[in-house]
Amino acid sequence: MSVQGWNTVLVLGGIRSGKSEFAESLVTDAPVVRYVATAPEGDPEDTEWATRLAAHRARRPGSWTTEETTEDPRRLADVLASAEPNETLLVDDLGGWVTVLLDPDHQPADDVATIAELADALRACSARVVLVSPEVGLSLVPTTPLGRAFTDALGAANRAVADACDAVVLVVAGQPVWLKPAAAPAASASTAAPAASASTAAPAASASTAALAETAAPATAPVVATLADAEGIPEVQLPDVLTHTPPPAPNQEPGNPWAAPTMALPMVATGLVIQPGMELPMPDEYAGPQAVDRLATLDVPGAGLGVLDRVVGFAAATQGTPTPQAWGSVRVLLLHGDHAGGGSAGAVAGESARRAAQARAGQGVLARLAAENGASLQVVDVPASAAMETEPALTLDQVESALRYGWRLAEQAADAGVQLLVLGACGAGTEAAAAAVLAATAGAEPPTVLGRVITDTGEIDDAAWMVRCAAVRDALHRTRRSSRGAKDILAELGGGDVAVATGVLLGATARRVPVLLDGPVGVAAGMVSRDLAGQARHWCLLADHGGHPAVRLAADVLGLTPLLDLRLDLGEGANALVALPLLRSVLALSAALPVHPSLGGGDEPTPTGGAVPTIDEPSYLDTGNSDPDGTEPDFAEPEPAGPGPASTGVDDQPASGWRAG
């Protein structure tokens, strides 16, 4: 569960405002949910109240556990204090809790002290917590002493809990309005401020920020004003795009909707704004189901494409047409950056740099597969990350620059006509960083998402694996009281590669470019990006989980079902490229096949350039030596006595000594 990246959330709302339903929607993707019921049962003869309680119980999934605190209001603080880091608590609601607190059976009691204890327990809680409470401050002052005592106590509880929570949201008529932290609105294309001049005031950019400053956009793309522009700092060019002797790209039919309208960049005078709650485009919700339904009508001899129909549905939704075309222009982004500390235990020094140099030279698995697929390759050096168990992996300034840098990489690809991005990474410690991000965003236990450490000789290094687990554990302990905002997670745990990958996913979503994920870094970026723009995950496709536990968990949380189960381990990016020809073939086939004749379809059209070429094979009816030894059947008979010979591929005479088998 992740509520815009925050760890504790207070959901306020009036009666029948939809606050409980909204709170429940925030925890639907949490692996372990404990529902804490605070309201008393009430009068047995009050059927209306009983109906309300029954409706709440009916909405809870069967996988949730329920705990009641109606007997002792102080027990709620104990429940928060004893909660485990992998748990998610949904407390519904504080109004019922205050009712029990004011009950004469629990008096005398110090209400102020009890509320303060609750706030302190919430601040110290290691689990993720969503609390629901009625907002009574907008109503009239009650006319009865008991009513005034209730509103005073609930108002004090709401203020104390809101102060302790990372985020507060007010639900009005089913619509959430985030009160804490307040997100600045993104400017649209029509209201975007122009690029800042050299005299525009802006924070000083550090050397690490300047190293990731974006280049000026091409003339055909929106101009992005960066911090480097404002300070007059020279910008560093984006990495070269390498093309290693690819085969010709397949032709596309005219009118193919690859150039659909894209998202205008949110900008302010100091540059691109990447913040929680961004509204980016969604794939076409109608084209995908229409494409899958169309597959059932095609003229195929068998049952169809099986689970690969999801590829067709995904491509249709992202292209906006029920007859999607195979991806022609593909670009592979290889993010190279190392992580210091115990997370890189077992990694060979300099190995990731060797792999990156190998890819740049057109050598190695990734470059060769890219060439086979006709894909361009871009090797991106990202900032090195500090040891997350002792200090933040990046500064917040570096995170901001890395996110914008990744966005620009996606923009550059979109401007070049790229139709599919393949995202991969190579670097020491990347798996541990991804595991830490998953632990922070999905409540995973580090040992369950860290894959085995394989040495360069193919042996399993359990000692290095334990060091990595300890590094992630210590990093989570160090940041246990830190905000779980997306940028904070990237700064504390994710590091340079996950931050740049997150920017790539957001930029690709804004430009309607689908992304083929491969490996822990990509799915970790997907987990973070959903707290910045929930639409990003809908533009991602996962070809194979590779048997990696982190990828399995993240795919389940993100709703990405792997298409294949080949358990390839060729390196991030390379696994996806192995599957790419199959995915392209599926799309090409689905686009070319006609509707079955029984459903009104006609014959398949003749391919461009004339009839399909055939190979002239020798026939025993066309040669005087059709049966040289008198043992072959006569194929001129209407009912042959046995199977005919296979073609030998030679003219006039059969091969010497050939016999039917």
Side-chain angles (χ1 to χ4, degrees), residues 43 68 94 99 119 151 199 202 226 254 270 276 320 365 369 387 411 458 477 506 528 540 543 561 600 609 631 638:
D43 188 349
E68 297 185 355
L94 292 184
T99 300
T151 54
S199 61
T226 67
T270 55
V365 174
L369 287 172
E411 274 206 325
H477 181 76
L506 296 173
V528 177
C540 297
T561 303
T631 62

Side-chain angles (χ1 to χ4, degrees), residues 4 186 263-264 266 275-282 407 509-510 532-535:
Q4 300 288 4
M263 175 72 181
Q275 59 190 6
M278 299 174 69
E279 291 294 333
L280 299 182
M282 281 285 288
W407 187 301
T509 299
L532 296 169
Q535 303 85 358

Side-chain angles (χ1 to χ4, degrees), residues 184 318 337 422 531 545 586 614 638:
T318 53
V422 178
D531 292 329
H545 56 68
V586 167
T614 60

Side-chain angles (χ1 to χ4, degrees), residues 192-475:
S197 63
S199 61
T200 302
S206 64
S208 60
T209 303
L212 282 173
E214 296 81 8
T215 59
T220 57
V223 176
V224 180
T226 67
L227 290 173
D229 295 331
E231 291 295 321
I233 299 173
E235 294 183 346
V236 179
Q237 295 292 325
L238 293 175
D240 293 335
V241 179
L242 309 175
T243 304
H244 300 296
T245 60
N251 295 325
Q252 296 292 340
E253 298 179 3
N256 192 23
W258 287 113
T262 58
M263 175 72 181
L265 297 180
M267 291 181 288
V268 293
T270 55
L272 175 65
V273 177
I274 298 179
Q275 59 190 6
M278 299 174 69
E279 291 294 333
L280 299 182
M282 281 285 288
D284 192 316
E285 61 179 317
Y286 301 107
Q290 290 172 356
V292 175
D293 291 343
R294 177 180 170 274
L295 293 177
T297 68
L298 298 183
D299 186 11
V300 295
L305 297 174
V307 297
L308 293 180
D309 62 359
R310 293 199 297 266
V311 180
V312 180
F314 173 82
T318 53
Q319 295 179 27
T321 172
T323 55
Q325 303 293 319
W327 302 296
S329 178
V330 178
R331 178 169 296 178
V332 182
L333 295 179
L334 179 64
L335 309 181
H336 168 237
D338 291 338
H339 295 252
S344 60
V348 178
E351 177 66 11
S352 64
R354 185 181 74 86
R355 294 292 183 190
Q358 196 178 49
R360 287 190 178 97
Q363 301 170 353
V365 174
L366 184 67
R368 293 179 183 276
L369 287 172
E372 288 292 332
N373 282 279
S376 57
L377 175 61
Q378 196 169 15
V379 182
V380 182
D381 289 319
V382 302
S385 304
M388 60 181 172
E389 62 267 36
T390 59
E391 60 182 313
L394 295 177
T395 66
L396 285 174
D397 286 341
Q398 286 178 310
V399 169
E400 293 284 356
S401 295
L403 288 171
R404 291 197 300 268
Y405 191 65
W407 187 301
R408 284 293 300 122
L409 288 169
E411 274 206 325
Q412 182 192 49
D415 293 338
V418 171
Q419 299 162 358
L420 178 71
L421 284 173
V422 178
L423 189 57
C426 69
T430 56
E431 292 187 2
V437 170
L438 285 176
T441 56
E445 290 292 340
T448 65
V449 291
L450 269 172
R452 307 297 292 270
V453 179
I454 309 297
T455 67
D456 52 356
T457 60
E459 298 177 348
I460 296 177
D461 190 344
D462 285 333
W465 179 81
M466 288 187 285
V467 173
R468 293 186 184 186
C469 288
V472 176
R473 177 203 62 198
D474 293 345

Side-chain angles (χ1 to χ4, degrees), residues 512-541:
R512 301 180 186 270
V513 178
V515 181
L516 191 57
L517 300 180
D518 186 7
V521 170
V523 295
M527 294 292 293
V528 177
S529 66
R530 67 180 184 151
D531 292 329
L532 296 169
Q535 303 85 358
R537 67 184 181 91
H538 296 282
W539 293 87
C540 297
L541 186 66

